[in-house]
Amino acid sequence: MEEGKSNVRAVERALDILLCFTEGTDLAMSEIAEKVGLHKSTVHRMLATLEDRGFVERDPSSERYHLGMRMWELSAHLSSSDDQSVIWQPEMERLRDRLGETVSIYVRDGSERVRIQAVQSNQPVRRVAPVGARLPLYAGASSKVLIAYSDRFVQEQIFGDPAWLLAIDLDQYKQQLEEIAQQGYATSFEEREPGVAALAAPIFNRHGQVAAALSVSGPSSRLTMETMREYSPVLIEFAKRMGTMIK
């Protein structure tokens, strides 16, 4: 039994090391050790194993690590015709071309939202949205959409996180969610990042459940509240169409 627990813990640590690369593409061993909270000798052994299997690569001159080709092989299999985010991409590009701003898709993962696909704006000044980014659920238009259209059980689970009580006024936030559920979209104006605004609408699956949030984001100087209200029918239209594409 103890050996089994040890093996599981080793896998967890290896995955934690790989997840460090969502915050940086080129990391020193000391940086990784600090991020995962492990001794350098432990991290060194795990990096050696991951390097041997092709999941990370080490630059001999700088002694820094980056993701290896084996990770790209895995992602190539993910980006297939069965990957919903790839199926949605043409519609996202059409929405980007129509509104001129960065378009993203978010899904909920526990108490966070994850950006699973993004199409960047072509404008010189734009919001850059990296795929794979994890963001808190208590701020942002997409977060509010993902919560507003979740069932009560899921909402209460999310609100049970003590961090919420420190971040927001829960009663005021719940009232805002009710308004979002009625109007069909959510907005955020410099809630999480200064100078950034966003508009989001729900993508529903065939069972009427929220599957993802479709978001348009950009500089708040362009995406004013009035502009976002004007864009909302277009966004809702695209979100409905993308919902019909869910397998």
Side-chain angles (χ1 to χ4, degrees):
M1 182 65 72
E2 291 302 320
E3 182 180 353
K5 289 182 179 179
S6 177
N7 289 338
V8 170
R9 184 59 184 144
V11 173
E12 290 176 344
R13 288 175 170 177
L15 292 174
D16 286 342
I17 288 173
L18 290 176
L19 288 172
C20 288
F21 292 94
T22 62
E23 303 173 17
T25 57
D26 186 47
L27 299 171
M29 185 184 67
S30 58
E31 293 173 320
I32 296 171
E34 183 178 354
K35 287 178 182 292
V36 297
L38 295 174
H39 195 275
K40 289 182 182 179
S41 61
T42 302
V43 173
H44 181 267
R45 289 196 302 271
M46 293 200 162
L47 283 171
T49 300
L50 290 169
E51 183 180 7
D52 183 60
R53 300 303 293 269
F55 287 98
V56 299
E57 294 179 358
R58 179 176 57 88
D59 185 330
S61 59
S62 66
E63 296 294 324
R64 297 177 73 84
Y65 292 83
H66 57 268
L67 292 177
M69 290 303 298
R70 187 57 58 87
M71 296 299 296
W72 295 111
E73 291 175 22
L74 290 175
S75 65
H77 286 289
L78 175 64
S79 299
S80 66
S81 59
D82 293 329
D83 180 10
Q84 195 62 57
S85 65
V86 175
I87 295 171
W88 281 332
Q89 187 169 344
E91 286 296 316
M92 296 174 66
E93 291 174 352
R94 279 189 277 272
L95 180 60
R96 184 270 314 274
D97 294 342
R98 184 162 174 179
L99 300 184
E101 303 293 352
T102 295
V103 178
S104 302
I105 296 285
Y106 293 92
V107 296
R108 184 179 69 85
D109 184 17
S111 61
E112 297 177 307
R113 58 181 163 112
V114 182
R115 187 182 295 117
I116 63 169
Q117 184 62 286
V119 175
Q120 312 298 338
S121 168
N122 292 324
Q123 301 205 51
V125 178
R126 62 184 183 271
R127 167 83 189 291
V128 176
V131 174
R134 287 181 170 270
L135 303 169
L137 270 180
Y138 52 75
S142 295
S143 293
K144 289 182 281 189
V145 160
L146 291 171
I147 300 175
Y149 293 95
S150 294
D151 61 44
R152 293 291 182 185
F153 177 75
V154 171
Q155 289 183 359
E156 291 308 317
Q157 279 188 317
I158 294 170
F159 297 148
D161 185 342
W164 282 77
L165 300 177
L166 301 175
I168 61 169
D169 181 322
L170 192 54
D171 290 334
Q172 184 178 4
Y173 190 84
K174 287 181 177 180
Q175 182 179 352
Q176 190 176 10
L177 293 180
E178 291 179 4
E179 295 172 358
I180 291 166
Q182 292 176 1
Q183 68 188 12
Y185 68 92
T187 60
S188 63
F189 195 83
E190 300 186 342
E191 281 186 13
R192 199 179 59 81
E193 297 178 64
V196 175
L199 171 70
I203 299 175
F204 295 108
N205 62 23
R206 66 186 67 183
H207 303 295
Q209 301 165 326
V210 61
L214 175 64
S215 168
V216 173
S217 60
S220 55
S221 57
R222 284 201 306 262
L223 278 182
T224 63
M225 293 302 294
E226 181 180 358
T227 299
M228 288 193 284
R229 282 192 292 269
E230 292 175 359
Y231 285 174
S232 62
V234 177
L235 185 70
I236 292 171
E237 173 193 343
F238 272 80
K240 287 181 178 178
R241 188 156 61 238
M242 291 165 70
T244 65
M245 301 165 65
I246 295 177
K247 293 187 175 182

PDB file of all heavy atoms in Angstrom, residues 1-15 46:
ATOM      1  N   MET A   1       0.822  -1.204   0.000  1.00  0.00           N
ATOM      2  CA  MET A   1       0.000   0.000   0.000  1.00  0.00           C
ATOM      3  C   MET A   1       0.861   1.261   0.000  1.00  0.00           C
ATOM      4  O   MET A   1       0.629   2.204  -0.736  1.00  0.00           O
ATOM      5  CB  MET A   1      -0.923  -0.002   1.223  1.00  0.00           C
ATOM      6  CG  MET A   1      -1.859   1.215   1.276  1.00  0.00           C
ATOM      7  SD  MET A   1      -3.037   1.251  -0.091  1.00  0.00           S
ATOM      8  CE  MET A   1      -4.116  -0.102   0.433  1.00  0.00           C
ATOM      9  N   GLU A   2       1.898   1.285   0.873  1.00  0.00           N
ATOM     10  CA  GLU A   2       2.786   2.439   0.936  1.00  0.00           C
ATOM     11  C   GLU A   2       3.510   2.662  -0.379  1.00  0.00           C
ATOM     12  O   GLU A   2       3.713   3.788  -0.805  1.00  0.00           O
ATOM     13  CB  GLU A   2       3.793   2.257   2.080  1.00  0.00           C
ATOM     14  CG  GLU A   2       3.186   2.331   3.459  1.00  0.00           C
ATOM     15  CD  GLU A   2       2.476   3.654   3.709  1.00  0.00           C
ATOM     16  OE1 GLU A   2       3.013   4.686   3.283  1.00  0.00           O
ATOM     17  OE2 GLU A   2       1.399   3.653   4.308  1.00  0.00           O
ATOM     18  N   GLU A   3       3.896   1.550  -1.018  1.00  0.00           N
ATOM     19  CA  GLU A   3       4.581   1.674  -2.305  1.00  0.00           C
ATOM     20  C   GLU A   3       3.645   2.280  -3.335  1.00  0.00           C
ATOM     21  O   GLU A   3       4.050   3.111  -4.151  1.00  0.00           O
ATOM     22  CB  GLU A   3       5.059   0.297  -2.771  1.00  0.00           C
ATOM     23  CG  GLU A   3       5.825   0.358  -4.093  1.00  0.00           C
ATOM     24  CD  GLU A   3       6.298  -1.021  -4.546  1.00  0.00           C
ATOM     25  OE1 GLU A   3       6.136  -1.974  -3.767  1.00  0.00           O
ATOM     26  OE2 GLU A   3       6.817  -1.104  -5.665  1.00  0.00           O
ATOM     27  N   GLY A   4       2.362   1.889  -3.307  1.00  0.00           N
ATOM     28  CA  GLY A   4       1.393   2.444  -4.243  1.00  0.00           C
ATOM     29  C   GLY A   4       1.219   3.933  -4.047  1.00  0.00           C
ATOM     30  O   GLY A   4       1.173   4.701  -5.014  1.00  0.00           O
ATOM     31  N   LYS A   5       1.134   4.357  -2.770  1.00  0.00           N
ATOM     32  CA  LYS A   5       1.007   5.789  -2.482  1.00  0.00           C
ATOM     33  C   LYS A   5       2.228   6.550  -2.961  1.00  0.00           C
ATOM     34  O   LYS A   5       2.129   7.667  -3.478  1.00  0.00           O
ATOM     35  CB  LYS A   5       0.817   5.998  -0.974  1.00  0.00           C
ATOM     36  CG  LYS A   5      -0.530   5.551  -0.449  1.00  0.00           C
ATOM     37  CD  LYS A   5      -0.641   5.845   1.032  1.00  0.00           C
ATOM     38  CE  LYS A   5      -1.995   5.419   1.590  1.00  0.00           C
ATOM     39  NZ  LYS A   5      -2.094   5.687   3.041  1.00  0.00           N
ATOM     40  N   SER A   6       3.399   5.950  -2.791  1.00  0.00           N
ATOM     41  CA  SER A   6       4.643   6.597  -3.209  1.00  0.00           C
ATOM     42  C   SER A   6       4.668   6.785  -4.720  1.00  0.00           C
ATOM     43  O   SER A   6       5.092   7.838  -5.222  1.00  0.00           O
ATOM     44  CB  SER A   6       5.837   5.768  -2.756  1.00  0.00           C
ATOM     45  OG  SER A   6       7.042   6.341  -3.217  1.00  0.00           O
ATOM     46  N   ASN A   7       4.195   5.757  -5.436  1.00  0.00           N
ATOM     47  CA  ASN A   7       4.178   5.851  -6.900  1.00  0.00           C
ATOM     48  C   ASN A   7       3.218   6.935  -7.375  1.00  0.00           C
ATOM     49  O   ASN A   7       3.513   7.688  -8.308  1.00  0.00           O
ATOM     50  CB  ASN A   7       3.788   4.503  -7.502  1.00  0.00           C
ATOM     51  CG  ASN A   7       4.880   3.461  -7.338  1.00  0.00           C
ATOM     52  OD1 ASN A   7       6.042   3.790  -7.155  1.00  0.00           O
ATOM     53  ND2 ASN A   7       4.502   2.188  -7.392  1.00  0.00           N
ATOM     54  N   VAL A   8       2.036   7.017  -6.735  1.00  0.00           N
ATOM     55  CA  VAL A   8       1.059   8.044  -7.092  1.00  0.00           C
ATOM     56  C   VAL A   8       1.634   9.424  -6.814  1.00  0.00           C
ATOM     57  O   VAL A   8       1.477  10.349  -7.624  1.00  0.00           O
ATOM     58  CB  VAL A   8      -0.259   7.840  -6.321  1.00  0.00           C
ATOM     59  CG1 VAL A   8      -1.182   9.039  -6.503  1.00  0.00           C
ATOM     60  CG2 VAL A   8      -0.955   6.573  -6.797  1.00  0.00           C
ATOM     61  N   ARG A   9       2.306   9.580  -5.687  1.00  0.00           N
ATOM     62  CA  ARG A   9       2.901  10.869  -5.332  1.00  0.00           C
ATOM     63  C   ARG A   9       3.964  11.276  -6.343  1.00  0.00           C
ATOM     64  O   ARG A   9       4.065  12.450  -6.704  1.00  0.00           O
ATOM     65  CB  ARG A   9       3.513  10.774  -3.931  1.00  0.00           C
ATOM     66  CG  ARG A   9       4.079  12.092  -3.408  1.00  0.00           C
ATOM     67  CD  ARG A   9       3.000  13.144  -3.344  1.00  0.00           C
ATOM     68  NE  ARG A   9       3.530  14.431  -2.941  1.00  0.00           N
ATOM     69  CZ  ARG A   9       3.096  15.585  -3.407  1.00  0.00           C
ATOM     70  NH1 ARG A   9       2.130  15.627  -4.308  1.00  0.00           N
ATOM     71  NH2 ARG A   9       3.624  16.718  -2.977  1.00  0.00           N
ATOM     72  N   ALA A  10       4.733  10.297  -6.820  1.00  0.00           N
ATOM     73  CA  ALA A  10       5.757  10.598  -7.825  1.00  0.00           C
ATOM     74  C   ALA A  10       5.113  11.097  -9.111  1.00  0.00           C
ATOM     75  O   ALA A  10       5.616  12.033  -9.752  1.00  0.00           O
ATOM     76  CB  ALA A  10       6.595   9.349  -8.097  1.00  0.00           C
ATOM     77  N   VAL A  11       3.987  10.485  -9.505  1.00  0.00           N
ATOM     78  CA  VAL A  11       3.276  10.929 -10.705  1.00  0.00           C
ATOM     79  C   VAL A  11       2.744  12.345 -10.509  1.00  0.00           C
ATOM     80  O   VAL A  11       2.846  13.199 -11.402  1.00  0.00           O
ATOM     81  CB  VAL A  11       2.119   9.957 -11.040  1.00  0.00           C
ATOM     82  CG1 VAL A  11       1.269  10.521 -12.184  1.00  0.00           C
ATOM     83  CG2 VAL A  11       2.661   8.598 -11.419  1.00  0.00           C
ATOM     84  N   GLU A  12       2.176  12.616  -9.331  1.00  0.00           N
ATOM     85  CA  GLU A  12       1.658  13.952  -9.043  1.00  0.00           C
ATOM     86  C   GLU A  12       2.763  14.998  -9.134  1.00  0.00           C
ATOM     87  O   GLU A  12       2.572  16.089  -9.681  1.00  0.00           O
ATOM     88  CB  GLU A  12       1.032  13.972  -7.642  1.00  0.00           C
ATOM     89  CG  GLU A  12      -0.268  13.186  -7.539  1.00  0.00           C
ATOM     90  CD  GLU A  12      -0.797  13.156  -6.118  1.00  0.00           C
ATOM     91  OE1 GLU A  12      -0.016  13.476  -5.185  1.00  0.00           O
ATOM     92  OE2 GLU A  12      -1.974  12.815  -5.929  1.00  0.00           O
ATOM     93  N   ARG A  13       3.928  14.669  -8.598  1.00  0.00           N
ATOM     94  CA  ARG A  13       5.043  15.620  -8.639  1.00  0.00           C
ATOM     95  C   ARG A  13       5.516  15.862 -10.066  1.00  0.00           C
ATOM     96  O   ARG A  13       5.834  16.994 -10.446  1.00  0.00           O
ATOM     97  CB  ARG A  13       6.189  15.093  -7.774  1.00  0.00           C
ATOM     98  CG  ARG A  13       5.915  15.162  -6.279  1.00  0.00           C
ATOM     99  CD  ARG A  13       7.026  14.508  -5.471  1.00  0.00           C
ATOM    100  NE  ARG A  13       6.900  14.777  -4.048  1.00  0.00           N
ATOM    101  CZ  ARG A  13       7.706  14.288  -3.123  1.00  0.00           C
ATOM    102  NH1 ARG A  13       8.707  13.470  -3.478  1.00  0.00           N
ATOM    103  NH2 ARG A  13       7.534  14.583  -1.850  1.00  0.00           N
ATOM    104  N   ALA A  14       5.566  14.801 -10.850  1.00  0.00           N
ATOM    105  CA  ALA A  14       5.986  14.941 -12.244  1.00  0.00           C
ATOM    106  C   ALA A  14       5.008  15.827 -13.011  1.00  0.00           C
ATOM    107  O   ALA A  14       5.410  16.685 -13.819  1.00  0.00           O
ATOM    108  CB  ALA A  14       6.095  13.570 -12.906  1.00  0.00           C
ATOM    109  N   LEU A  15       3.713  15.643 -12.758  1.00  0.00           N
ATOM    110  CA  LEU A  15       2.706  16.475 -13.420  1.00  0.00           C
ATOM    111  C   LEU A  15       2.799  17.924 -12.957  1.00  0.00           C
ATOM    112  O   LEU A  15       2.633  18.856 -13.762  1.00  0.00           O
ATOM    113  CB  LEU A  15       1.311  15.917 -13.147  1.00  0.00           C
ATOM    114  CG  LEU A  15       1.005  14.562 -13.794  1.00  0.00           C
ATOM    115  CD1 LEU A  15      -0.345  14.038 -13.323  1.00  0.00           C
ATOM    116  CD2 LEU A  15       1.022  14.669 -15.321  1.00  0.00           C
ATOM    117  N   MET A  46      13.542  14.011 -11.172  1.00  0.00           N
ATOM    118  CA  MET A  46      12.321  13.932 -11.973  1.00  0.00           C
ATOM    119  C   MET A  46      12.509  14.559 -13.348  1.00  0.00           C
ATOM    120  O   MET A  46      12.010  14.052 -14.355  1.00  0.00           O
ATOM    121  CB  MET A  46      11.170  14.603 -11.233  1.00  0.00           C
ATOM    122  CG  MET A  46      10.777  13.862  -9.975  1.00  0.00           C
ATOM    123  SD  MET A  46       9.140  14.271  -9.420  1.00  0.00           S
ATOM    124  CE  MET A  46       8.845  12.870  -8.328  1.00  0.00           C
TER     125      MET A  46
END
